[in-house]
Amino acid sequence: MNSPITTHVLDTARGRPAAGIDVTLERLEAGDRWQMLGRDVTNVDGRARALLPGDWNLEPGVYRLTFDTGTYFRGLGVEGFYPHVPVVFGLERPESHYHVPLLLSPYGYSTY
């Protein structure tokens, strides 16, 4: 069973999935402190499906996925502008599955 939070990274400059990107998942706790919940690496399809165990019980709150894009681009021999891409999002319905895609290039990114 997949994690209740997953991601998919596409390298739009190369026109293919971004494999090998380290992704961390954190939750915002009291006192504005981020608690690490999980980590995964994007597979050959650019997907990270094991950030949390499939039976993990999410709680409503604010979460952050951080993508290690600097290491990814250095590995390709490409200069990138953003060494890390943080994506912060709020969860209202913890029983749902959340998929957070990232479109990535050396000098820009977007999510939807």
Side-chain angles (χ1 to χ4, degrees):
M1 181 178 210
N2 289 339
S3 168
I5 298 174
T6 57
T7 188
H8 186 198
V9 184
L10 297 174
D11 184 333
T12 58
R14 298 175 66 223
R16 61 180 61 160
I21 294 181
D22 187 59
V23 184
T24 59
L25 173 64
E26 300 164 290
R27 183 174 190 274
L28 186 61
E29 301 293 330
D32 291 334
R33 183 180 58 85
W34 289 99
Q35 177 189 2
M36 168 79 94
L37 298 179
R39 171 175 269 143
D40 198 6
V41 176
T42 57
N43 64 19
V44 296
D45 292 326
R47 297 179 184 277
R49 295 182 173 146
L51 291 162
L52 296 170
D55 60 353
W56 184 277
N57 290 321
L58 289 177
E59 297 177 16
V62 176
Y63 291 78
R64 175 171 69 187
L65 285 173
T66 303
F67 301 83
D68 182 2
T69 54
T71 300
Y72 170 74
F73 284 121
R74 279 191 301 278
L76 295 174
V78 173
E79 181 182 340
F81 187 70
Y82 299 100
H84 295 93
V85 172
V87 178
V88 179
F89 53 97
L91 301 184
E92 297 287 326
R93 297 182 317 267
E95 69 281 357
S96 297
H97 174 263
Y98 291 89
H99 185 72
V100 182
L102 180 69
L103 302 177
L104 180 65
S105 72
Y107 290 94
Y109 64 90
S110 66
T111 186
Y112 55 94

